[in-house]
Amino acid sequence: MPKLQHSPYAGQALNRSVELAKRYRHEFITPEHLLAAINEQDPFQMSMTLGGAMLFPLDKRLVEELEKMERVPDNVSYELGPSIQLDHALRVAYDQVQSSSATMLDVPHLVKGILELKDSKACQLLLEGIACTESEFLADLVSCYEEALYSEDNEEKDDYDSSDEKENKSWQQLVICLNDHVADHNPLIGRENELERTIQVLCRRDKNNPLHVGEPGVGKTALVYGLVERIVKGDVPERLKDSRVYLLDLGSLLAGTQFRGDFEKRLKMVMEGISKEKAPIVYIDEIHNLVGAGRTNDGSMDASNMLKPYLETGKIRFIGSTTYEEYNRYFSRSKGMVRRFQQIDIPEPSIDEAVNIVERLQPVYAEFHHVSYADDVARYVVEASHKHINERFLPDKAIDLIDEAGAWREIHPQKKNEVDRALINQVLSKICKVDAMAMEADDNARLETLYERMNSQIYGQDNALRQVVEAIQLSKAGLTDEDKPLAALLFVGPTGVGKTEVARVLARELGIALVRFDMSEYTEKHAVAKLIGSPAGYVGYEDGGLLTDAIRKSPNCVLLLDEIEKAHQDIYNILLQVMDYARLTDNKGRQADFRNVVLLMTSNAGAQYAAQASVGFSGHVSAGEAMLRQVKKTFKPEFLNRLSGTVVFNDMDRHMAGLILDKKLRELDSKLATRGVSMTLTPEAREWLLNEGYTREYGAREFDRVIAQKLKPMLMREILFGKRKKIKVTVKEGELIPTPTLPKGGSKKAQE
């Protein structure tokens, strides 16, 4: 049976017939159930009266028939369904709808279907109750139901009109009057020029609508609250003294607007209500959202077009605010809106201006958190947040820092309950993922001992370590360009001599993250694009840049680009920007800040020529000089000129190899200690490992292979299957063995 839309009365009748069948526990829904349901409706009763059935008790007769029907016992479950007669009546009703111009199934169609069932009790009772012909009765029935539907539509319209009137009286619910909420916001500090320019634009005769454009957090909203505060105090020109500033909340306007026209109606209602006020000012935060708001297709009107008549008259003044990115992406497309607003740039405040703002706001946060702030905290917060917190702007990020530090001290009170620099470092370290001690500018003792601490972990590379440490110390002392990375160093040397290990140790000692990229993965031109993001239209565009995203997540880090010479040549063009301006822009226009990054690049370029260093008639040429000659051939001059330095690592000699072996054995001892096992090597065993692992070609990595293949399997068997917790390793017949050795076939007691 085809599905058709039902009128309200038809739907009620069908649902009610099901309820009646369930109440009487009848197995089938019959035409009698349907007629009893229809008989309860007022339009049907009216049509029966017109048909001469005033004294005919149809409802009573129908109840008698329903009582006679067989019931299903209460303890028996069954599935309710339509009877054959009802199914036939419904088919007739549906055919009536489809063969006529009707758009939905109504009660007259259902009654027509019942009248077609000449053998049914429902049809017989219905014919007994009317004194006119069937056609006359059906005509009256149609008239009664049409009149009922028309009356209900008018009632709904009246209700709608009354609700509109109610909404018109309560347009204030969709806006916020900022004059009544000045005390809820931080006071405006500074910004005298921008505020004066805003007042000047508001006092113009035409196009008197300021548009504040600036980065997030620089104080655009605070500037509006500063204006409202001056209006409340009366410290404005006469033209603005009686003004009330209303915040237009687009979220409230859009909430619950399900149908076309709801949003436009609300916006018009608000504008009409505000226009009746004296000298009103409407503040629209994130005004770029107006462009396209409420639009359903290219030909329909959006909110910005609806506001243009009010912008033209000048009776209502508008203040908008947006960011540069959103202005260029959305707002600038609406030339009509751009023409009607006067753009006022809100730049990020300088360090000194931000310090003044934080100092004057400190008492507000001190009172709120029940803490005190040290005298030097304001400047330190501003300078530290400016240095370490990227992609955010002053003064917002500095205010957030004193607020968060105050909250931390409030829930972790002390006797003095003071927020000092140490606490600021602790809070900032969680935000910036950097060791709190590493951010303390006065802790020069850590920098002074950096070389000694690294030299105790890296062997035989004294000159290389000294260059690295000096580059870091120069930057920390402020003697290098602030708009460059902390250091940009190229490590050159044979494999396995400690180039990558220096990067790991440096990151650990500085208390910052190590971000490593294996440049052998970027040998193709298209692969290099992944570092800053694929161009628009290419696969991976939405993913962003791998390198830029990593630096945004960890702006204070050691960035290691391993084996840089294996990457495609395009990588050097990317690194030129990083080393020159400490900035890198991804495919979506977002910048990554490299000012607090130590950039380290490793290369084996020239290592193969180091062995030929002593060949020639001009005396001795060092291995380092031989490698540097090849480096100059491999890398472009503009790349080498931007480096802080090129660090040459020495070849591994036997003494260095012995120190590295001892270090790796100590690392193995610490792993064994966690299993409650100790290991002792005889001098012969150590010498055997040194001979097996030391090669000038493979460096320290050969020790890893020898220990993994020769020593660890023997220890594994002792840990898993042996009984001893102390293992002594020696050499016998050219192999490592645990001592004392056990004779073949020895008893279990002897083994123990």
Side-chain angles (χ1 to χ4, degrees), residues 236-255:
V236 287
E238 191 67 31
R239 192 178 300 278
L240 301 178
K241 280 191 175 179
D242 296 326
S243 294
R244 295 184 68 80
V245 182
Y246 296 97
L247 172 63
L248 185 64
D249 186 359
L250 291 178
S252 298
L253 288 174
L254 287 168

Side-chain angles (χ1 to χ4, degrees), residues 114-164:
I114 294 174
L115 290 174
E116 291 292 321
L117 304 172
K118 302 302 181 183
D119 295 335
S120 70
K121 199 64 178 177
C123 177
Q124 296 170 8
L125 291 175
L126 186 55
L127 291 175
E128 290 177 14
I130 58 176
C132 59
T133 63
E134 290 183 27
S135 59
E136 290 175 340
F137 172 68
L138 288 173
D140 292 339
L141 190 66
V142 170
S143 299
C144 290
Y145 273 93
E146 286 181 349
E147 185 177 351
L149 289 172
Y150 178 77
S151 300
E152 289 186 1
D153 288 342
N154 285 338
E155 289 177 5
E156 290 179 2
K157 187 174 184 300
D158 293 340
D159 293 341
Y160 186 72
D161 292 340
S162 63
S163 65
D164 288 349

Side-chain angles (χ1 to χ4, degrees), residues 219-237:
K220 301 187 294 297
T221 304
L223 184 59
V224 174
Y225 274 92
L227 170 66
V228 176
E229 185 179 7
R230 288 186 58 171
I231 291 175
V232 171
K233 292 180 179 178
D235 187 18
V236 287

Side-chain angles (χ1 to χ4, degrees), residues 99 331 350 420 744:
S99 62
F331 195 84
S350 65
D420 54 12
K744 291 184 179 181

Side-chain angles (χ1 to χ4, degrees), residues 612-622 625 629:
Q612 308 170 8
S614 60
V615 178
F617 298 102
S618 58
H620 299 286
V621 178
S622 68
E625 291 174 346
R629 289 178 181 177

Side-chain angles (χ1 to χ4, degrees), residues 558-656:
V558 172
L559 174 60
L560 174 61
L561 305 181
D562 234 346
E563 301 185 7
I564 186 72
E565 80 281 358
K566 294 182 180 178
H568 190 272
Q569 293 294 314
D570 284 0
I571 188 65
Y572 304 116
N573 298 328
I574 292 176
L575 293 177
L576 291 180
Q577 317 176 40
V578 173
M579 294 188 288
D580 249 347
Y581 306 107
R583 295 285 191 278
L584 191 59
T585 306
D586 68 5
N587 58 341
K588 297 181 180 178
R590 300 172 301 186
Q591 282 194 340
D593 190 344
F594 286 75
R595 287 179 299 170
N596 300 309
V597 171
V598 179
L599 175 59
L600 303 181
M601 295 160 281
T602 69
S603 173
N604 294 326
Q608 65 270 33
Y609 298 99
Q612 308 170 8
S614 60
V615 178
F617 298 102
S618 58
H620 299 286
V621 178
S622 68
E625 291 174 346
M627 284 187 284
L628 284 177
R629 289 178 181 177
Q630 188 60 26
V631 164
K632 292 179 180 179
K633 296 178 182 179
T634 304
F635 300 101
K636 296 180 179 180
E638 60 266 29
F639 174 79
L640 296 174
N641 286 340
R642 286 170 170 82
L643 293 169
S644 304
T646 302
V647 182
V648 179
F649 282 68
N650 300 325
D651 290 347
M652 182 179 292
D653 55 24
R654 190 172 181 83
H655 174 68
M656 186 194 307

